[in-house]
Structures are given as structure tokens and as C-alpha cells.
Amino acid sequence: MKNKTIEKMEQHPNHFKKLLRKMWEIRIFEETLEQLYAKNKIHGTFHLCIGQEAAAVGSIACLSQEDWIASTHRNHGHSLAKGTSMRAMFAEILGKSTGINGGKGGSMHISDAKNHHLGSNGVVGGNFPIAAGAALSMKMQNKKQVVFCFAGEGATNEGSFHEAMNLASIWQLPITFFIENNQYGMSSAFKKMTRLDSIAQRGSSYGVESFSIDGNDLMSVEQLSKRLVQRMRHGEGPFLVEAKTYRYRGHSKSDSCLYRSKEEEGRQQAYDPIRRVEANFIESKIMNKMDIFEEKQIIREKIWQLVQEVEGDSLPSDQELLANIYAK
Amino acid sequence: MRRLTYLEAVNEALDEALGQDKRVFLMGEDIGIYGGGFGATKGLEEKYGAERVRSTPISESAIVGLAVGASMTGMKPVVELQFSDFITIAMDQLVNQAAKIHYMSNGQFQVPLVVRTPGGSGTGAGAQHSQSLENWLAHIPGLKVIQPATAYDAKGLLHAAISDNNPVVIYEHKLCYPLEAEVPEGRYTVPIGQADIKRSGEDITVVATGIMVIRALEAAEKLANQGVSVEVVDPRTLFPLDKKSILQSVKKTKRVLLVTEAVLRSSFASELSAVIAESDVFYELKQPIERLGGKEVPIPCAKNLESLAVPKVQEIEAKISHMLFKNDKEQTIEKPR
């Protein structure tokens, strides 16, 4: 008997191809950043979501362009999934005038008003109240748009998480606090910093319906997110989701991961969210190994072309330093 | 013209803004039926409903943070922080978020929010309810900081702040709340970034902020009886700062005293002093710039100690006399020049 995942994929092959392609793009985008960093082409740091792509892609696939997201320092997956231009993101991280934020934000502060991306936040937990504010705004304006607020498990130890959850709950705001539990807050293991089995347990203190799912399973992430988006559009909310996942790379570029073993890393990477979908595709014959290899190769080449193009872009002019401090 | 207290003027501005602009809403602790910590929002929940006059849990960080998110997406929130000391709890949202979002997004997002908060000492509330931390915020690019001293300015500046497309923090002073002035009916604005000559004079300029404007005016009145003519300049907004009006006044009188309630060390008086010292007017000064400010101490509770901690009318008066005559007040006063 076929499992449900395979069945569903066979029913909607193009939809899942689109999602897998997005996950590939995110991963190859970030692998490319690593290579650019090694070549000393990036001023500043970045935080990679390699291994966590299903959480971003599965959830944001359920949102429209008009729905809002708020992200964190580890935002590349969310930003790309929400529709932010990859070219403009490369340009931003390379400090070019063509960057999505004109080079003023950098990797940690990517925001995209056109695609209703409220911004990535360099302050852990800083985005919870802001996202709740956007949800309040939608509710007060009688709009049907909903908000997804992404953060890591470490951020739920910030007061801002608890304050925002409580406020969102008493005012029944259309927001889902989507926590990617990637097991580490910088070097600090989840288990050492939080005496809970799951972040979802935190919702009950605020009367917030909460869920814990396998964040590396694209299908689970998408199914739950779809349901929550529908419920929020009908006036329900807030919700709390813990998507269990694993951060493959270190916290940022300066991290050599001394706090965990290679064995653990190997064990965790067996649950790779991308390889799981690839295996499903092969099993359901949506794609064979060769198709997958070729498609990824095409994306890789396109991305390198993009990078070469962006490298030729101009730097922000000196006048830009003092532009846009205040709105007119 | 009719007279209103400062508190009534604030209330009227909020009432008019809520009535005129659907995007405006209020958030803060106990601002509903209770009317806010000092009564500034009295009657507004009844008139506009709990959806637009939102009493919040005790969550300063989230209140300001929600205002940031709401303002980025089409609303115009006006937040009340019950005491300005609590701004410390909301500092991430004000300093790291509200102030920087327009710049970091390269102009994609605007953050048109207002935070009103009562500051200053004089009520015996002790060290955690009596500070003057306005200079912390005046330091941050991206924020505007306002300190109205009169009922007229309080209403006009609040309207201007609500119309502004930037985060604006308004420091109200508790001791100013009961003070009356002529206040026009209906909406009017006092431009942000425009100082006001509160009293015109010839012998010395006193630049004062907040409640110290009121005290400087009292001192000026007393000195007038002795034939001394004091000009009192109220910057009204710390940022943007109307340097031109301040320097013009100092150029005219050639003497300047700066008075703020905040602890003198690293206070806004220090900034004002630097602005004057760095300008051409410096060469025209007849004597060094002088400052008066709070003692370097947390504000104590006991009435006599509390009043010793910040400049009093008599101190301002004595300081001016000393500057003009280098003499004790008791000695015969001759007009200089």
C-alpha cells in the first residue's frame, strides 16, 4: 500500500515540484554564500538555514503575497519563499546599491514591503511583538490577511515572546508563531536552556492552541499551515507551532560547532528535508535520479550567473549614508 | 480664549485625532475606563470603544512592539507608557526597531507611531517613577523627541506627532498637567523642530526644557522686578532641534544659561552647550556658557530631598544673578552694559 505522502504527491506533482525547487534554490543560494564568504567577498556575517528549508517553504506556500511574515537573523529561507528576489538578496548581502535594502540592511535585516515581508530581525525575539502588531492592524482594518512570525526555539526564552503571545491571545489576533526548533541557540542546546520537551507546551500558559510537528517533513508543515491559515482567515488565532528541525551549519560564520558531536550531526542529517522529498519523487516516479541531478545543476548554474551579474553592480553612493533616516 | 489645563489639552488632541482619522488608535496600561495613570485618556474609551482605546496588559515591550507592527501596516498607534521610567522596558522596540526600520529597509517601511509618556520628579514617587531620560532617546537617529511645556504646545505638538510619518516620543511632565493656558478649539499643529521664545528679553538667554521652562519663566518674572531682562527659549523638540532660534537669541543677549531637570552629566543641556560653543556665536559670548541640571543622584522620595535634586526657581534666579553680577543676590543690582 502506498503511503499518503506519495499518494498526495502523485495527485499534485507540479505543486510539489514547485516546492522542491524552492527548497533547492534556498539551499543552493546559501551554499553559494558560503563559497562567496570563503573567497572573502562578503563583508559581515550571515546565518544559514541549511537543513531547515521545509519549515520555510511548507508554511509560506500557504500564504498569499498579501499575507505578512516576520523573520529572524536566519531569514534567507523565509525571504526567498515569500517571493523576495534572489538577485536583490545577493546584492544586499554583497553590499550593492541594487540590494533589496540598498545595502543598508545586510543579511540580517532583509525586508521586502512589496512581498509583505516585515523584515528580518537582528534582535532575537524582537519580531514577535511587531508581527503581532501587523496582525492587530489587519484585524482592525477588517482585512483577511494573516501573519506568520518565524523564530528559533531560543527566542522563546525572551520576554517579548511571552508578552506578544499573551497580547495576541487576549485580542485573538490572526497570527501564527512558527518556531523552528533547530536544537541550538547559537551554542546552547535546547535541552540545557529549556526544561520542556516541546516549545508547544508554552502555548497553554497563554491559552494558545499549539502544535508540534516534524519540521523536516514538507508535507506535515504544509498541511498544518494550510489549516491554520484557513482558521485565521475565519477569525481564529493566534496559534503556536513548533517545527522540529536541525541546524546543519554553525550559528554564524565564526562557529566551529565545538558544542556538539560529529555523530550527532550525522544522525540528524539522515532526516534531510530535501532528500526526503527527492526520495518520495523517485518512489512515485515524478522524477528520477537523473532528472533531480540535472534540475539542481541548472539551478546551480543560474545562481552562479546571477552572482557574477550582481558582482558587477555598483556600490551604494556616499550620499546614501544619510538617506532615509527619517520618513518625509 | 478659553483656558485648558495641559492634561485637558492632551485629552482633547487625542479625542480630535480619534474622531478625525480612523487609523488612529490608542494603546496603554489602564487607559480605558480608568483614564490612564494621570487621566489623559479619560472618557475616550466610552466615546470610541475598547477597539480603538485599547487597555493592555503590563507589557511595555509588547505594547510598543505592537505599535511598531501596526504602524508599518497602515495604522497610526498612539501609545501611553504610564511613567517615562518604563521606557527602559520598551527600549528594544523603540531603539532597535522603531528608530531603525525606515533606514534598514531603505525607505520601504515607515513607522508612524507616537509614544506619550509622563516624566520628571516632584510627585514623591521615588527613583523609579521620576526620572528624566529624554536624552537617551534624543541620541538615537530615527527617533523624534518632543517635550512640551505648556497646554498650547502639548495639544499642537501631539497633533503634529500623530501626523508625522516617524516614531515620535513625547515627554509630558507630570507637574505641567494641572497648568492652564489658552488653547484653541479644534485641530491645530505646532511644527516639530520649531523653538518658541516664551519670554523675550535683552540681558541673558535661558534655554530650558519641560517643567524648567515654567521655572525659568517664574525666575525671569522675579528678576524683571529688579530690572533684569531675561529671554526664555523653549526648544520644545529635542530632535529635530531648532538650533537657529536658539543661536539667534544667544547672539542677541550674549549670555546663556541652560536648564534641564535631567541629571546634568550627559544631559540635553550638555548637547545645547556644545551646539552654542561650536557656533560662531561663541565668539560673541561675554562669559562662559552655564548649565543647571539635576544632581547626580537617583530621585529620592522625601519631599525636601526630592526638591533638592532638581533645579528650583530660586536656583535659576540666583544663577542668572550670579552670571550677570558675579555677586550675591542681596547686593545692589545694577543693570549690566
mmCIF file of all heavy atoms in Angstrom, chain A residues 126 130, chain B residues 60-65 67-68 79 81 84 86-101 111 113-117 133 136-137 140-145 166-171:
data_model
loop_
_atom_site.group_PDB
_atom_site.id
_atom_site.type_symbol
_atom_site.label_atom_id
_atom_site.label_comp_id
_atom_site.label_asym_id
_atom_site.label_seq_id
_atom_site.Cartn_x
_atom_site.Cartn_y
_atom_site.Cartn_z
ATOM 1 N N GLY A 126 12.853 40.081 18.867
ATOM 2 C CA GLY A 126 12.365 41.433 18.573
ATOM 3 C C GLY A 126 11.175 41.442 17.627
ATOM 4 O O GLY A 126 10.394 42.391 17.611
ATOM 5 N N ILE A 130 6.207 42.883 16.892
ATOM 6 C CA ILE A 130 5.985 43.591 15.628
ATOM 7 C C ILE A 130 5.003 42.803 14.754
ATOM 8 O O ILE A 130 4.055 43.352 14.185
ATOM 9 C CB ILE A 130 7.320 43.819 14.889
ATOM 10 C CG1 ILE A 130 8.232 44.719 15.736
ATOM 11 C CG2 ILE A 130 7.095 44.413 13.509
ATOM 12 C CD1 ILE A 130 9.627 44.908 15.179
ATOM 13 N N GLU B 60 5.210 46.543 28.522
ATOM 14 C CA GLU B 60 5.666 47.736 27.793
ATOM 15 C C GLU B 60 6.364 47.397 26.481
ATOM 16 O O GLU B 60 6.173 48.071 25.471
ATOM 17 C CB GLU B 60 6.604 48.579 28.673
ATOM 18 C CG GLU B 60 5.909 49.312 29.817
ATOM 19 C CD GLU B 60 5.664 48.425 31.018
ATOM 20 O OE1 GLU B 60 6.114 47.262 31.014
ATOM 21 O OE2 GLU B 60 5.014 48.891 31.980
ATOM 22 N N SER B 61 7.182 46.346 26.508
ATOM 23 C CA SER B 61 7.918 45.980 25.307
ATOM 24 C C SER B 61 6.953 45.593 24.187
ATOM 25 O O SER B 61 7.083 46.027 23.042
ATOM 26 C CB SER B 61 8.863 44.829 25.643
ATOM 27 O OG SER B 61 9.324 44.229 24.489
ATOM 28 N N ALA B 62 5.948 44.788 24.540
ATOM 29 C CA ALA B 62 4.993 44.339 23.517
ATOM 30 C C ALA B 62 4.067 45.463 23.086
ATOM 31 O O ALA B 62 3.680 45.540 21.924
ATOM 32 C CB ALA B 62 4.195 43.149 24.028
ATOM 33 N N ILE B 63 3.714 46.353 24.002
ATOM 34 C CA ILE B 63 2.811 47.459 23.622
ATOM 35 C C ILE B 63 3.487 48.294 22.539
ATOM 36 O O ILE B 63 2.906 48.589 21.488
ATOM 37 C CB ILE B 63 2.474 48.357 24.834
ATOM 38 C CG1 ILE B 63 1.800 47.564 25.949
ATOM 39 C CG2 ILE B 63 1.569 49.504 24.393
ATOM 40 C CD1 ILE B 63 1.761 48.291 27.288
ATOM 41 N N VAL B 64 4.728 48.668 22.790
ATOM 42 C CA VAL B 64 5.440 49.477 21.791
ATOM 43 C C VAL B 64 5.709 48.636 20.537
ATOM 44 O O VAL B 64 5.575 49.122 19.417
ATOM 45 C CB VAL B 64 6.744 50.059 22.378
ATOM 46 C CG1 VAL B 64 7.523 50.813 21.312
ATOM 47 C CG2 VAL B 64 6.430 50.995 23.546
ATOM 48 N N GLY B 65 6.050 47.367 20.730
ATOM 49 C CA GLY B 65 6.314 46.494 19.589
ATOM 50 C C GLY B 65 5.083 46.309 18.701
ATOM 51 O O GLY B 65 5.175 46.342 17.478
ATOM 52 N N ALA B 67 2.759 48.419 18.418
ATOM 53 C CA ALA B 67 2.579 49.710 17.744
ATOM 54 C C ALA B 67 3.500 49.799 16.527
ATOM 55 O O ALA B 67 3.110 50.323 15.477
ATOM 56 C CB ALA B 67 2.862 50.858 18.713
ATOM 57 N N VAL B 68 4.710 49.260 16.644
ATOM 58 C CA VAL B 68 5.634 49.266 15.501
ATOM 59 C C VAL B 68 5.017 48.485 14.338
ATOM 60 O O VAL B 68 4.907 48.991 13.219
ATOM 61 C CB VAL B 68 7.008 48.657 15.887
ATOM 62 C CG1 VAL B 68 7.898 48.516 14.659
ATOM 63 C CG2 VAL B 68 7.705 49.516 16.947
ATOM 64 N N VAL B 79 0.699 55.369 21.745
ATOM 65 C CA VAL B 79 0.909 54.562 22.944
ATOM 66 C C VAL B 79 1.095 55.462 24.154
ATOM 67 O O VAL B 79 1.736 56.509 24.062
ATOM 68 C CB VAL B 79 2.181 53.695 22.763
ATOM 69 C CG1 VAL B 79 2.628 53.081 24.082
ATOM 70 C CG2 VAL B 79 1.944 52.610 21.724
ATOM 71 N N LEU B 81 2.879 55.211 27.748
ATOM 72 C CA LEU B 81 3.660 54.474 28.751
ATOM 73 C C LEU B 81 3.419 55.209 30.064
ATOM 74 O O LEU B 81 3.697 56.402 30.177
ATOM 75 C CB LEU B 81 5.144 54.456 28.401
ATOM 76 C CG LEU B 81 5.559 53.560 27.224
ATOM 77 C CD1 LEU B 81 7.061 53.624 27.019
ATOM 78 C CD2 LEU B 81 5.119 52.116 27.444
ATOM 79 N N SER B 84 7.499 57.535 32.393
ATOM 80 C CA SER B 84 8.560 57.525 31.386
ATOM 81 C C SER B 84 9.724 56.622 31.784
ATOM 82 O O SER B 84 10.493 56.187 30.949
ATOM 83 C CB SER B 84 9.060 58.940 31.110
ATOM 84 O OG SER B 84 9.881 59.382 32.166
ATOM 85 N N PHE B 86 9.461 53.662 32.485
ATOM 86 C CA PHE B 86 9.205 52.332 31.916
ATOM 87 C C PHE B 86 9.632 52.247 30.448
ATOM 88 O O PHE B 86 9.545 51.198 29.827
ATOM 89 C CB PHE B 86 7.734 51.944 32.063
ATOM 90 C CG PHE B 86 7.212 52.063 33.466
ATOM 91 C CD1 PHE B 86 5.855 52.189 33.721
ATOM 92 C CD2 PHE B 86 8.082 52.063 34.557
ATOM 93 C CE1 PHE B 86 5.379 52.309 35.016
ATOM 94 C CE2 PHE B 86 7.604 52.186 35.857
ATOM 95 C CZ PHE B 86 6.246 52.316 36.082
ATOM 96 N N ILE B 87 10.079 53.362 29.931
ATOM 97 C CA ILE B 87 10.590 53.364 28.570
ATOM 98 C C ILE B 87 11.806 52.425 28.481
ATOM 99 O O ILE B 87 12.092 51.849 27.441
ATOM 100 C CB ILE B 87 10.923 54.810 28.161
ATOM 101 C CG1 ILE B 87 10.586 55.018 26.699
ATOM 102 C CG2 ILE B 87 12.370 55.186 28.467
ATOM 103 C CD1 ILE B 87 10.214 56.423 26.382
ATOM 104 N N THR B 88 12.465 52.243 29.634
ATOM 105 C CA THR B 88 13.622 51.336 29.653
ATOM 106 C C THR B 88 13.200 49.920 29.254
ATOM 107 O O THR B 88 13.960 49.194 28.632
ATOM 108 C CB THR B 88 14.252 51.290 31.064
ATOM 109 O OG1 THR B 88 13.230 50.953 31.995
ATOM 110 C CG2 THR B 88 14.872 52.615 31.444
ATOM 111 N N ILE B 89 11.967 49.538 29.622
ATOM 112 C CA ILE B 89 11.494 48.185 29.328
ATOM 113 C C ILE B 89 11.149 48.056 27.845
ATOM 114 O O ILE B 89 11.194 46.978 27.274
ATOM 115 C CB ILE B 89 10.257 47.842 30.196
ATOM 116 C CG1 ILE B 89 10.552 48.165 31.664
ATOM 117 C CG2 ILE B 89 9.868 46.369 30.045
ATOM 118 C CD1 ILE B 89 9.329 48.135 32.550
ATOM 119 N N ALA B 90 10.814 49.160 27.231
ATOM 120 C CA ALA B 90 10.417 49.152 25.821
ATOM 121 C C ALA B 90 11.569 49.570 24.907
ATOM 122 O O ALA B 90 11.380 49.798 23.724
ATOM 123 C CB ALA B 90 9.239 50.098 25.621
ATOM 124 N N MET B 91 12.747 49.646 25.470
ATOM 125 C CA MET B 91 13.872 50.235 24.738
ATOM 126 C C MET B 91 14.227 49.460 23.467
ATOM 127 O O MET B 91 14.572 50.058 22.464
ATOM 128 C CB MET B 91 15.081 50.326 25.665
ATOM 129 C CG MET B 91 15.860 51.593 25.542
ATOM 130 S SD MET B 91 14.873 53.082 25.627
ATOM 131 C CE MET B 91 16.131 54.295 25.876
ATOM 132 N N ASP B 92 14.172 48.135 23.487
ATOM 133 C CA ASP B 92 14.499 47.392 22.258
ATOM 134 C C ASP B 92 13.567 47.823 21.136
ATOM 135 O O ASP B 92 14.010 48.111 20.027
ATOM 136 C CB ASP B 92 14.398 45.873 22.459
ATOM 137 C CG ASP B 92 14.553 45.136 21.129
ATOM 138 O OD1 ASP B 92 15.579 45.384 20.453
ATOM 139 O OD2 ASP B 92 13.668 44.372 20.741
ATOM 140 N N GLN B 93 12.286 47.860 21.438
ATOM 141 C CA GLN B 93 11.322 48.191 20.388
ATOM 142 C C GLN B 93 11.480 49.632 19.905
ATOM 143 O O GLN B 93 11.295 49.912 18.727
ATOM 144 C CB GLN B 93 9.890 47.929 20.872
ATOM 145 C CG GLN B 93 9.568 46.441 21.005
ATOM 146 C CD GLN B 93 9.697 45.677 19.688
ATOM 147 O OE1 GLN B 93 9.516 46.238 18.611
ATOM 148 N NE2 GLN B 93 10.023 44.397 19.763
ATOM 149 N N LEU B 94 11.826 50.532 20.808
ATOM 150 C CA LEU B 94 11.996 51.932 20.391
ATOM 151 C C LEU B 94 13.310 52.150 19.658
ATOM 152 O O LEU B 94 13.348 52.768 18.593
ATOM 153 C CB LEU B 94 11.978 52.844 21.630
ATOM 154 C CG LEU B 94 10.614 53.305 22.093
ATOM 155 C CD1 LEU B 94 10.732 53.996 23.430
ATOM 156 C CD2 LEU B 94 9.996 54.244 21.055
ATOM 157 N N VAL B 95 14.380 51.643 20.251
ATOM 158 C CA VAL B 95 15.718 51.982 19.774
ATOM 159 C C VAL B 95 16.183 51.056 18.656
ATOM 160 O O VAL B 95 16.686 51.515 17.624
ATOM 161 C CB VAL B 95 16.721 51.958 20.952
ATOM 162 C CG1 VAL B 95 18.145 52.133 20.462
ATOM 163 C CG2 VAL B 95 16.364 53.039 21.955
ATOM 164 N N ASN B 96 16.008 49.748 18.857
ATOM 165 C CA ASN B 96 16.496 48.799 17.844
ATOM 166 C C ASN B 96 15.504 48.587 16.710
ATOM 167 O O ASN B 96 15.907 48.188 15.617
ATOM 168 C CB ASN B 96 16.794 47.436 18.483
ATOM 169 C CG ASN B 96 17.999 47.496 19.402
ATOM 170 O OD1 ASN B 96 18.951 48.220 19.142
ATOM 171 N ND2 ASN B 96 17.946 46.767 20.499
ATOM 172 N N GLN B 97 14.222 48.785 16.997
ATOM 173 C CA GLN B 97 13.217 48.505 15.966
ATOM 174 C C GLN B 97 12.664 49.813 15.377
ATOM 175 O O GLN B 97 13.007 50.173 14.256
ATOM 176 C CB GLN B 97 12.082 47.636 16.547
ATOM 177 C CG GLN B 97 12.550 46.449 17.392
ATOM 178 C CD GLN B 97 13.313 45.384 16.616
ATOM 179 O OE1 GLN B 97 13.306 45.348 15.401
ATOM 180 N NE2 GLN B 97 13.998 44.495 17.332
ATOM 181 N N ALA B 98 11.813 50.497 16.125
ATOM 182 C CA ALA B 98 11.106 51.669 15.574
ATOM 183 C C ALA B 98 12.061 52.659 14.897
ATOM 184 O O ALA B 98 11.819 53.116 13.783
ATOM 185 C CB ALA B 98 10.324 52.369 16.683
ATOM 186 N N ALA B 99 13.149 52.962 15.570
ATOM 187 C CA ALA B 99 14.052 54.001 15.064
ATOM 188 C C ALA B 99 14.751 53.586 13.775
ATOM 189 O O ALA B 99 15.108 54.432 12.962
ATOM 190 C CB ALA B 99 15.098 54.336 16.130
ATOM 191 N N LYS B 100 14.957 52.287 13.589
ATOM 192 C CA LYS B 100 15.858 51.844 12.518
ATOM 193 C C LYS B 100 15.161 51.247 11.305
ATOM 194 O O LYS B 100 15.781 51.056 10.264
ATOM 195 C CB LYS B 100 16.841 50.819 13.090
ATOM 196 C CG LYS B 100 17.764 51.430 14.127
ATOM 197 C CD LYS B 100 18.723 50.422 14.731
ATOM 198 C CE LYS B 100 19.739 51.085 15.634
ATOM 199 N NZ LYS B 100 19.130 51.814 16.754
ATOM 200 N N ILE B 101 13.886 50.929 11.441
ATOM 201 C CA ILE B 101 13.216 50.171 10.370
ATOM 202 C C ILE B 101 13.164 50.956 9.061
ATOM 203 O O ILE B 101 13.394 50.399 7.988
ATOM 204 C CB ILE B 101 11.823 49.700 10.851
ATOM 205 C CG1 ILE B 101 12.014 48.501 11.776
ATOM 206 C CG2 ILE B 101 10.907 49.360 9.669
ATOM 207 C CD1 ILE B 101 10.783 48.055 12.520
ATOM 208 N N VAL B 111 7.317 54.064 10.038
ATOM 209 C CA VAL B 111 6.876 53.684 11.382
ATOM 210 C C VAL B 111 6.232 54.897 12.059
ATOM 211 O O VAL B 111 6.809 55.503 12.963
ATOM 212 C CB VAL B 111 8.072 53.160 12.211
ATOM 213 C CG1 VAL B 111 7.603 52.584 13.549
ATOM 214 C CG2 VAL B 111 8.847 52.088 11.445
ATOM 215 N N LEU B 113 4.470 56.066 14.545
ATOM 216 C CA LEU B 113 3.843 55.831 15.850
ATOM 217 C C LEU B 113 4.222 56.944 16.820
ATOM 218 O O LEU B 113 5.232 57.622 16.647
ATOM 219 C CB LEU B 113 4.243 54.463 16.404
ATOM 220 C CG LEU B 113 5.665 54.232 16.878
ATOM 221 C CD1 LEU B 113 5.853 54.663 18.329
ATOM 222 C CD2 LEU B 113 6.016 52.764 16.754
ATOM 223 N N VAL B 114 3.382 57.102 17.823
ATOM 224 C CA VAL B 114 3.629 58.107 18.865
ATOM 225 C C VAL B 114 3.658 57.401 20.210
ATOM 226 O O VAL B 114 2.802 56.558 20.486
ATOM 227 C CB VAL B 114 2.515 59.184 18.873
ATOM 228 C CG1 VAL B 114 2.735 60.171 20.015
ATOM 229 C CG2 VAL B 114 2.448 59.912 17.543
ATOM 230 N N VAL B 115 4.652 57.713 21.013
ATOM 231 C CA VAL B 115 4.673 57.262 22.409
ATOM 232 C C VAL B 115 4.588 58.499 23.281
ATOM 233 O O VAL B 115 5.424 59.384 23.187
ATOM 234 C CB VAL B 115 5.965 56.484 22.737
ATOM 235 C CG1 VAL B 115 6.020 56.156 24.227
ATOM 236 C CG2 VAL B 115 6.063 55.204 21.919
ATOM 237 N N ARG B 116 3.535 58.579 24.092
ATOM 238 C CA ARG B 116 3.400 59.665 25.074
ATOM 239 C C ARG B 116 3.781 59.103 26.439
ATOM 240 O O ARG B 116 3.335 58.004 26.781
ATOM 241 C CB ARG B 116 1.948 60.133 25.209
ATOM 242 C CG ARG B 116 1.258 60.734 24.060
ATOM 243 C CD ARG B 116 -0.211 61.004 24.466
ATOM 244 N NE ARG B 116 -0.285 61.383 25.856
ATOM 245 C CZ ARG B 116 -0.842 60.633 26.807
ATOM 246 N NH1 ARG B 116 -1.416 59.506 26.531
ATOM 247 N NH2 ARG B 116 -0.829 61.057 28.058
ATOM 248 N N THR B 117 4.528 59.866 27.183
ATOM 249 C CA THR B 117 4.891 59.335 28.488
ATOM 250 C C THR B 117 5.216 60.451 29.479
ATOM 251 O O THR B 117 5.930 61.383 29.151
ATOM 252 C CB THR B 117 6.056 58.328 28.352
ATOM 253 O OG1 THR B 117 6.242 57.677 29.596
ATOM 254 C CG2 THR B 117 7.362 58.967 27.894
ATOM 255 N N LEU B 133 14.744 60.828 31.320
ATOM 256 C CA LEU B 133 15.682 60.091 30.460
ATOM 257 C C LEU B 133 15.562 60.493 28.991
ATOM 258 O O LEU B 133 16.002 59.770 28.101
ATOM 259 C CB LEU B 133 15.433 58.574 30.588
ATOM 260 C CG LEU B 133 15.589 57.984 31.997
ATOM 261 C CD1 LEU B 133 15.285 56.486 31.989
ATOM 262 C CD2 LEU B 133 16.995 58.229 32.542
ATOM 263 N N TRP B 136 18.348 60.041 26.453
ATOM 264 C CA TRP B 136 18.663 58.707 25.916
ATOM 265 C C TRP B 136 18.109 58.589 24.503
ATOM 266 O O TRP B 136 18.745 58.030 23.615
ATOM 267 C CB TRP B 136 17.998 57.616 26.755
ATOM 268 C CG TRP B 136 18.581 57.338 28.095
ATOM 269 C CD1 TRP B 136 19.338 58.176 28.857
ATOM 270 C CD2 TRP B 136 18.430 56.131 28.838
ATOM 271 N NE1 TRP B 136 19.653 57.557 30.040
ATOM 272 C CE2 TRP B 136 19.112 56.315 30.052
ATOM 273 C CE3 TRP B 136 17.770 54.935 28.605
ATOM 274 C CZ2 TRP B 136 19.161 55.318 31.029
ATOM 275 C CZ3 TRP B 136 17.816 53.955 29.576
ATOM 276 C CH2 TRP B 136 18.515 54.140 30.785
ATOM 277 N N LEU B 137 16.869 59.057 24.347
ATOM 278 C CA LEU B 137 16.193 58.874 23.066
ATOM 279 C C LEU B 137 16.618 59.920 22.054
ATOM 280 O O LEU B 137 16.676 59.646 20.853
ATOM 281 C CB LEU B 137 14.681 58.882 23.279
ATOM 282 C CG LEU B 137 14.211 57.714 24.155
ATOM 283 C CD1 LEU B 137 12.742 57.832 24.466
ATOM 284 C CD2 LEU B 137 14.498 56.383 23.502
ATOM 285 N N ILE B 140 19.248 58.913 19.580
ATOM 286 C CA ILE B 140 19.054 57.837 18.598
ATOM 287 C C ILE B 140 18.580 58.363 17.244
ATOM 288 O O ILE B 140 17.466 58.877 17.121
ATOM 289 C CB ILE B 140 18.010 56.813 19.123
ATOM 290 C CG1 ILE B 140 18.421 56.274 20.492
ATOM 291 C CG2 ILE B 140 17.833 55.656 18.128
ATOM 292 C CD1 ILE B 140 19.751 55.550 20.533
ATOM 293 N N PRO B 141 19.403 58.200 16.192
ATOM 294 C CA PRO B 141 18.943 58.583 14.855
ATOM 295 C C PRO B 141 17.719 57.752 14.474
ATOM 296 O O PRO B 141 17.707 56.536 14.673
ATOM 297 C CB PRO B 141 20.131 58.223 13.950
ATOM 298 C CG PRO B 141 21.306 58.107 14.861
ATOM 299 C CD PRO B 141 20.767 57.670 16.187
ATOM 300 N N GLY B 142 16.705 58.430 13.973
ATOM 301 C CA GLY B 142 15.474 57.737 13.580
ATOM 302 C C GLY B 142 14.299 58.090 14.473
ATOM 303 O O GLY B 142 13.154 57.914 14.090
ATOM 304 N N LEU B 143 14.594 58.576 15.680
ATOM 305 C CA LEU B 143 13.514 58.984 16.586
ATOM 306 C C LEU B 143 13.391 60.499 16.600
ATOM 307 O O LEU B 143 14.378 61.216 16.398
ATOM 308 C CB LEU B 143 13.801 58.523 18.023
ATOM 309 C CG LEU B 143 13.862 57.021 18.294
ATOM 310 C CD1 LEU B 143 14.177 56.778 19.767
ATOM 311 C CD2 LEU B 143 12.553 56.344 17.909
ATOM 312 N N LYS B 144 12.182 60.984 16.856
ATOM 313 C CA LYS B 144 11.972 62.394 17.169
ATOM 314 C C LYS B 144 11.549 62.476 18.630
ATOM 315 O O LYS B 144 10.811 61.612 19.099
ATOM 316 C CB LYS B 144 10.897 62.994 16.261
ATOM 317 C CG LYS B 144 11.322 63.025 14.786
ATOM 318 C CD LYS B 144 10.340 63.786 13.920
ATOM 319 C CE LYS B 144 10.840 63.827 12.474
ATOM 320 N NZ LYS B 144 9.900 64.578 11.597
ATOM 321 N N VAL B 145 12.029 63.487 19.334
ATOM 322 C CA VAL B 145 11.748 63.592 20.763
ATOM 323 C C VAL B 145 11.211 64.986 21.081
ATOM 324 O O VAL B 145 11.833 65.993 20.728
ATOM 325 C CB VAL B 145 13.010 63.310 21.606
ATOM 326 C CG1 VAL B 145 12.669 63.336 23.093
ATOM 327 C CG2 VAL B 145 13.619 61.963 21.235
ATOM 328 N N ASN B 166 7.083 59.361 11.286
ATOM 329 C CA ASN B 166 8.211 58.773 12.004
ATOM 330 C C ASN B 166 7.803 58.438 13.435
ATOM 331 O O ASN B 166 6.816 58.969 13.931
ATOM 332 C CB ASN B 166 9.370 59.779 12.040
ATOM 333 C CG ASN B 166 9.913 60.051 10.661
ATOM 334 O OD1 ASN B 166 10.640 59.247 10.102
ATOM 335 N ND2 ASN B 166 9.505 61.174 10.074
ATOM 336 N N PRO B 167 8.598 57.600 14.095
ATOM 337 C CA PRO B 167 8.329 57.386 15.520
ATOM 338 C C PRO B 167 8.661 58.649 16.326
ATOM 339 O O PRO B 167 9.766 59.180 16.208
ATOM 340 C CB PRO B 167 9.260 56.228 15.897
ATOM 341 C CG PRO B 167 10.259 56.109 14.803
ATOM 342 C CD PRO B 167 9.692 56.757 13.583
ATOM 343 N N VAL B 168 7.689 59.094 17.105
ATOM 344 C CA VAL B 168 7.863 60.318 17.891
ATOM 345 C C VAL B 168 7.594 59.996 19.357
ATOM 346 O O VAL B 168 6.568 59.393 19.672
ATOM 347 C CB VAL B 168 6.878 61.420 17.431
ATOM 348 C CG1 VAL B 168 7.122 62.703 18.225
ATOM 349 C CG2 VAL B 168 6.992 61.681 15.934
ATOM 350 N N VAL B 169 8.515 60.378 20.228
ATOM 351 C CA VAL B 169 8.321 60.177 21.666
ATOM 352 C C VAL B 169 8.034 61.530 22.299
ATOM 353 O O VAL B 169 8.798 62.482 22.107
ATOM 354 C CB VAL B 169 9.569 59.549 22.316
ATOM 355 C CG1 VAL B 169 9.306 59.287 23.798
ATOM 356 C CG2 VAL B 169 9.948 58.249 21.602
ATOM 357 N N ILE B 170 6.920 61.605 23.025
ATOM 358 C CA ILE B 170 6.549 62.866 23.673
ATOM 359 C C ILE B 170 6.719 62.719 25.177
ATOM 360 O O ILE B 170 6.050 61.902 25.810
ATOM 361 C CB ILE B 170 5.093 63.257 23.369
ATOM 362 C CG1 ILE B 170 4.847 63.255 21.845
ATOM 363 C CG2 ILE B 170 4.772 64.620 23.974
ATOM 364 C CD1 ILE B 170 3.456 63.684 21.469
ATOM 365 N N TYR B 171 7.640 63.490 25.716
ATOM 366 C CA TYR B 171 7.804 63.547 27.172
ATOM 367 C C TYR B 171 6.907 64.635 27.714
ATOM 368 O O TYR B 171 7.149 65.816 27.500
ATOM 369 C CB TYR B 171 9.266 63.833 27.524
ATOM 370 C CG TYR B 171 10.097 62.583 27.583
ATOM 371 C CD1 TYR B 171 10.695 62.066 26.439
ATOM 372 C CD2 TYR B 171 10.264 61.892 28.782
ATOM 373 C CE1 TYR B 171 11.452 60.906 26.494
ATOM 374 C CE2 TYR B 171 11.015 60.731 28.838
ATOM 375 C CZ TYR B 171 11.601 60.241 27.689
ATOM 376 O OH TYR B 171 12.337 59.086 27.752
#
